[in-house]
């Protein structure tokens, strides 16, 4: 079993739709939960982060963490063509040299 | 600040050749990491360093070596290139202090093909 599972998609939605992405994980000790966005042929960039359980909202983006279910989600409201990218979930322990465990990434295309 | 820089951007190697992927950061970050990214597989940690002179293996270290003689530079060495090392390689860094978001800053990547 992989430590972090993420459906690689691809996911294609019309402009304005809500995009829903999720990851499951097996290590209950994970404390940091992040979403990175990666445009084609670029390096990943941090999009959202959450420490422990709960919800976090930033503009059109909402990140949710449910530690009891070992499940994290990212929602993109009013999606735009500029949101077309690969979204990678990542998580880490409280210490352990801050190493990140990544999901496979989900490729999202928002159609104009 | 240039952030994290990587050279070269692209490279084609023949089986058995060796090369060094360069990585540098100008943010005075203590921690540096090397990842490889294969299609549909996410990022896998190859090696990492917590400071100059200190390196450690990640999840997939076989076939690679690293060194960290300065805070700024963290080169990745491939000694005997194999087709299985065809991948996109990313270098990343982060500050040493505990931070709420645990963000790593990534370079633009090196696309390597071994034929």
């Amino acid at each position: 079993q992989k430590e972090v599972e993420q459906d690689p998609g691809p996911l294609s939605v019309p402009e304005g739709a809500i995009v829903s992405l999720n990851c499951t994980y097996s290590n209950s000790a994970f404390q940091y939960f992040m979403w990175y966005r990666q445009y084609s042929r670029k390096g990943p960039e941090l999009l959202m982060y959450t420490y422990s359980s709960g919800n976090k909202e930033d503009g059109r983006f909402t990140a949710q963490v449910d530690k009891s279910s070992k499940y994290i989600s990212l929602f993109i409201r009013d999606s735009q063509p500029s949101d077309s990218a690969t979204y990678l979930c990542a998580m880490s322990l409280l210490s352990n040299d801050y190493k990140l465990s990544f999901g496979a990434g989900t490729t999202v295309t928002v159609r104009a | 600040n240039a952030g994290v820089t990587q050279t070269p951007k692209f490279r084609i190697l023949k089986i058995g050749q060796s090369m060094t992927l360069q990585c540098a950061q100008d943010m005075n970050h203590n921690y540096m990491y090397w990842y490889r990214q294969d299609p549909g597989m996410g990022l896998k940690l190859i090696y990492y360093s917590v400071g100059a002179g200190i390196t450690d293996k990640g999840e997939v270290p076989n076939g690679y070596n690293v060194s960290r003689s300065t805070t700024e530079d963290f080169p990745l060495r491939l000694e005997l290139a194999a087709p299985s090392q065809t991948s996109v390689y990313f270098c990343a860094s982060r500050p040493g202090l505990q931070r709420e978001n645990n963000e790593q800053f990534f370079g633009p990547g090196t696309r390597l093909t071994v034929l």
Side-chain angles (χ1 to χ4, degrees):
Chain A
Q1 183 190 7
K2 289 182 182 177
E3 199 169 39
V4 181
E5 299 271 6
Q6 182 179 8
D7 186 344
L11 194 61
S12 179
V13 300
E15 184 174 356
I18 294 175
V19 176
S20 174
L21 305 167
N22 57 75
C23 291
T24 58
Y25 61 95
S26 57
N27 190 344
S28 58
F30 282 140
Q31 294 281 356
Y32 291 102
F33 303 92
M34 290 144 276
W35 288 93
Y36 279 80
R37 179 172 60 193
Q38 184 179 22
Y39 290 114
S40 181
R41 296 184 176 264
K42 301 288 186 184
E45 296 175 305
L46 183 66
L47 179 64
M48 296 281 290
Y49 70 92
T50 311
Y51 176 67
S52 196
S53 280
N55 292 1
K56 188 167 187 176
E57 193 171 311
D58 184 3
R60 297 184 294 111
F61 299 90
T62 299
Q64 291 183 346
V65 175
D66 182 349
K67 291 192 74 180
S68 63
S69 302
K70 299 195 190 79
Y71 186 90
I72 71 170
S73 302
L74 177 71
F75 299 96
I76 308 173
R77 290 182 300 280
D78 187 26
S79 57
Q80 304 295 310
S82 58
D83 295 326
S84 297
T86 296
Y87 292 82
L88 299 134
C89 64
M91 43 201 82
S92 71
L93 305 175
L94 194 59
S95 57
N96 198 29
D97 297 328
Y98 309 115
K99 290 182 288 185
L100 297 177
S101 296
F102 282 88
T106 301
T107 299
V108 175
T109 300
V110 180
R111 308 185 306 272
Chain B
N1 285 353
V4 180
T5 57
Q6 291 183 240
T7 56
K9 286 187 170 57
F10 307 94
R11 184 73 185 269
I12 297 175
L13 279 183
K14 293 183 179 177
I15 294 172
Q17 285 185 322
S18 61
M19 78 163 292
T20 299
L21 282 67
Q22 301 292 344
C23 174
Q25 51 90 11
D26 61 358
M27 298 175 282
N28 201 32
H29 286 174
N30 294 92
Y31 290 77
M32 296 187 74
Y33 308 84
W34 272 107
Y35 296 90
R36 58 177 288 171
Q37 185 176 35
D38 301 306
M41 300 293 289
L43 289 138
K44 302 291 185 187
L45 182 65
I46 305 171
Y47 269 96
Y48 70 101
S49 169
V50 303
I54 306 169
T55 62
D56 207 346
K57 295 179 181 178
E59 186 181 355
V60 290
N62 290 347
Y64 307 94
N65 273 302
V66 293
S67 60
R68 184 97 182 269
S69 56
T70 67
T71 299
E72 294 78 19
D73 300 297
F74 190 39
L76 178 71
R77 179 86 177 158
L78 283 71
E79 290 294 349
L80 290 170
S84 61
Q85 293 177 307
T86 294
S87 189
V88 182
Y89 291 84
F90 288 101
C91 178
S93 72
R94 62 152 282 147
L97 295 176
Q98 182 85 7
R99 297 179 72 191
E100 185 185 58
N101 65 15
N102 200 23
E103 181 178 4
Q104 291 185 13
F105 297 83
F106 284 80
T110 293
R111 192 170 295 268
L112 177 67
T113 301
V114 182
L115 299 173

